[in-house]
Amino acid sequence: MARVAPPGDDSPGSSGSSVLRLLRASLTRVRGLPAAVLRDYRSHHSAPTSTLTHTPHPYARALGLLAVTLLGAWLGLLIVGSIHAPVGPVDTNMTLRPSLTGGTKINVSPLGALELRSHYAPIRLDVDVDRLDPVRSQALVDHPERFAGLQEQVTRDVISGTGTLAFRSCVAVVSGATALGLAVYRRPRRALAAGGLALALLASSGAAAYATWNPKSVLEPKFSGLLSSAPSVVGNARNIVSEFDVYQKELARLVTNVTKLYEATSTLPAYTPDPTTIRVLHVSDIHLNPAAWQIIKSLVKQYKIDVIIDTGDTMDHGSSAENAFLDPVAMLGAPYVWVRGNHDSATTQKYLATRKNATVLDDGRAVSVGGLRIAGVGDPQFTPDRSVVEEGDFDERTAGGKLADSLRTQRLAGTPVDIALAHNPVAAAEADGLAPLALAGHIHHRENSVLPGGTRLMIEGSTGGGGLRAVQGKKPAPVQASVLYLDRRTRHLQAWDEITLGGLGLSKAEVSRHLPQENRPGASPSPGPGPSGTRSPGTSATPSGTPSPSSP
């Protein structure tokens, strides 16, 4: 009788146990299949972790390093790559700038710039002339024999300045490139590589500049801005070379001129203002003389000026390149009222109208400024150079007629005008009998008269001493301005000071006090615009600044 094995019996002879063993093996293989498959997949299809990271192409890495180097070097030059260096009697600011053509650019603000083809390299030398040093200029004036060695001194100063600039630029480009490389790569080795590359590029640029250096480039400069007319003033390069003695004398005179102007401005007398008067500074015909702004600013401060009146010809050619010359108007310390002259263009007028503190009058427009009612008309003619022929007095009288019509309208409206303005005296004379006072310029010397209708016409000289053209004449024009004192209640002229600074090259400064005929002792004041008469003789100024008569 066969024995039946109990459940769970795994004895070898049992068929049940064989079946059970097979079943268990199959289940084990099934349970281990996913893990085996995963291990096999990983062993055959997975890659090392390091190979999943993208490695840049060597050329891309090199271009990136070059870009970081150039940007960092440029930032370094921009921030710390400039120096202040004296060159002869002037103070300059020297800077190296990236450039495709190289060369040297000398900026003489606000007159413009001149460019020299001094070298061919990817760097350009920028030299900004900041100011004329009064101490070194005075030394040249006091010791004229030093002009003989001025050329050698300037050469030494330039060599010394460029040497210091080269060292400063090396530090600037290395520091800038290293700092930017460290910020971008965050690895000291890459940052140092950027700094080293920047130094190598600067050194190679310097070597290229040295190899292509052209010392004769100074004889063939390229002018821009107002300096584009410089050859007509100082002569062309050939004349400078062949007649260097004459050119040297002109240079000496120019240095002397500017120095003496600053000296004369600093020695103007002090003034104690009278609270019962309105003080008006009348200037005219500045003709692009930068020293005029310093003179005006000094007078405004010393005389406590309430209103500045400029009767035109502030410019010389009326070009848009000259517009920056007008920027100091906003910082003169008093309201600035202006009418257009025949050297001022519509572009000039439009630009000045946007300046802070400036009031532009034209077509008889009337405004209230500083307690005064002022109306003015611009010059109808624009004659910046001799190529344009003046039309004559007819156009001036027509413009003056517009001014006269405006004065009549203002009087009928109950707002009579105190001062009428025009650049040309012919136009200003049309205001006779319609305003107590008319101001003009144009003729570059003073004239003062009472017109038949009772209006006093005051013509101012050139506050710019004739401008840049003053160095061409044998006898330079004086710098002239006037301070007018008007009664604060009646707005009538009480007195005026004529201020004269001895022209370019002269240090003499004069201030003379004048009184209208009706304000002299024993005279009774006249109502209306003013009595008919002739030019009044002068009187001297008292220390207090109040009008007081004295013998002519």
Side-chain angles (χ1 to χ4, degrees):
M1 184 173 184
R3 184 175 64 87
V4 179
D9 184 7
D10 295 333
S11 58
S14 173
S15 59
S17 61
S18 299
V19 173
L20 288 174
R21 283 196 296 271
L22 291 173
L23 181 60
R24 287 175 180 173
S26 300
L27 290 176
T28 301
R29 293 189 184 97
V30 172
R31 284 197 301 265
L33 181 62
V37 171
L38 182 59
R39 283 194 301 271
D40 182 69
Y41 178 80
R42 285 177 176 175
S43 62
H44 289 87
H45 297 282
S46 63
T49 304
S50 59
T51 61
L52 295 177
T53 304
H54 176 70
T55 302
H57 194 278
Y59 289 147
R61 296 179 61 186
L63 289 176
L65 180 62
L66 180 62
V68 169
T69 300
L70 292 177
L71 180 59
W74 178 76
L75 291 175
L77 286 176
L78 191 66
I79 298 173
V80 295
S82 61
I83 65 166
H84 295 279
V87 177
V90 299
D91 289 333
T92 66
N93 186 66
M94 296 184 178
T95 312
L96 288 181
R97 290 282 183 260
S99 172
L100 296 177
T101 58
T104 300
K105 185 176 182 180
I106 302 175
N107 298 299
V108 187
S109 179
L111 304 180
L114 59 93
E115 298 180 17
L116 308 176
R117 295 181 178 178
S118 56
H119 62 275
Y120 295 93
I123 54 173
R124 185 186 72 200
L125 174 62
D126 284 359
V127 180
D128 296 327
V129 178
D130 292 335
R131 69 185 185 102
L132 182 72
D133 185 85
V135 176
R136 298 196 299 273
S137 301
Q138 185 61 44
L140 287 175
V141 173
D142 294 339
H143 304 280
E145 67 277 3
R146 295 187 182 180
F147 279 102
L150 183 59
Q151 185 177 4
E152 290 76 9
Q153 179 188 350
V154 170
T155 302
R156 290 194 301 270
D157 291 342
V158 170
I159 293 175
S160 175
T162 52
T164 305
L165 178 63
F167 175 77
R168 182 75 171 265
S169 300
C170 290
V171 175
V173 298
V174 171
S175 301
T178 303
L180 186 61
L182 190 61
V184 172
Y185 296 114
R186 300 181 183 275
R187 296 179 182 177
R189 184 174 297 179
R190 300 296 295 276
L192 291 176
L197 179 59
L199 183 59
L201 291 175
L202 182 62
S204 59
S205 300
Y210 180 79
T212 59
W213 180 253
N214 178 21
K216 295 182 180 180
S217 61
V218 70
L219 299 179
E220 298 177 354
K222 177 184 177 182
F223 296 97
S224 61
L226 298 182
L227 289 180
S228 57
S229 61
S232 63
V233 177
V234 301
N236 56 37
R238 182 174 303 175
N239 290 340
I240 293 175
V241 175
S242 62
E243 301 177 9
F244 186 77
D245 291 340
V246 177
Y247 176 72
Q248 182 171 292
K249 292 178 181 178
E250 291 298 322
L251 177 63
R253 186 194 302 181
L254 182 61
V255 173
T256 305
N257 291 344
V258 180
T259 302
K260 293 301 183 181
L261 280 177
Y262 280 106
E263 281 186 356
T265 306
S266 63
T267 58
L268 288 173
Y271 170 74
T272 303
D274 184 349
T276 64
T277 61
I278 298 175
R279 295 165 296 282
V280 177
L281 176 62
H282 182 200
V283 300
S284 189
D285 296 86
I286 293 175
H287 285 289
L288 282 178
N289 187 344
W293 296 128
Q294 296 297 329
I295 294 171
I296 293 173
K297 192 173 183 179
S298 177
L299 291 172
V300 168
K301 181 179 180 180
Q302 295 186 44
Y303 281 81
K304 303 296 188 294
I305 296 298
D306 297 299
V307 182
I308 304 168
I309 293 179
D310 187 343
T311 47
D313 270 6
T314 312
M315 299 305 205
D316 210 26
H317 295 84
S319 64
S320 58
E322 299 172 346
N323 286 343
F325 178 77
L326 298 169
D327 291 344
V329 165
M331 299 176 289
L332 294 178
Y336 181 85
V337 181
W338 181 86
V339 290
R340 185 181 67 251
N342 61 294
H343 282 262
D344 306 315
S345 65
T347 302
T348 302
Q349 180 166 310
K350 184 178 180 181
Y351 183 84
L352 183 58
T354 64
R355 299 298 89 188
K356 180 182 178 181
N357 221 32
T359 300
V360 174
L361 299 182
D362 198 5
D363 297 324
R365 178 191 173 204
V367 295
S368 295
V369 181
L372 296 170
R373 192 72 177 163
I374 307 172
V377 62
D379 198 302
Q381 305 184 73
F382 179 51
T383 56
D385 51 52
R386 295 175 183 174
S387 64
V388 181
V389 180
E390 294 187 14
E391 296 295 333
D393 292 344
F394 176 79
D395 288 349
E396 299 296 341
R397 292 193 178 96
T398 301
K402 289 184 180 180
L403 177 61
D405 290 342
S406 174
L407 297 178
R408 294 187 186 95
T409 302
Q410 293 293 322
R411 178 178 289 182
L412 292 174
T415 55
V417 170
D418 305 310
I419 303 177
L421 308 180
H423 175 67
N424 196 305
V426 175
E430 297 297 314
D432 186 22
L434 300 173
L437 185 62
L439 304 182
H442 184 61
I443 60 176
H444 288 205
H445 66 268
R446 287 194 184 102
E447 288 188 9
N448 193 323
S449 61
V450 178
L451 301 176
T455 296
R456 180 177 292 277
L457 175 60
M458 303 184 73
I459 305 173
E460 190 56 77
S462 174
T463 309
L468 297 176
R469 302 174 185 178
V471 299
Q472 294 177 296
K474 294 182 179 180
K475 185 178 181 181
V479 174
Q480 297 180 329
S482 297
V483 178
L484 316 180
Y485 304 95
L486 289 84
D487 184 89
R488 192 171 291 275
R489 183 178 61 85
T490 65
R491 261 96 67 189
H492 286 175
L493 183 67
Q494 302 297 303
W496 70 92
D497 288 342
E498 293 182 349
I499 301 168
T500 303
L501 307 181
L504 296 174
L506 305 176
S507 60
K508 188 177 182 180
E510 296 178 345
V511 180
S512 58
R513 169 62 52 83
H514 300 262
L515 296 177
Q517 185 73 31
E518 64 271 18
N519 281 2
R520 295 183 180 183
S524 57
S526 301
S532 176
T534 58
R535 179 178 179 177
S536 61
T539 63
S540 63
T542 61
S544 63
T546 56
S548 66
S550 66
S551 301

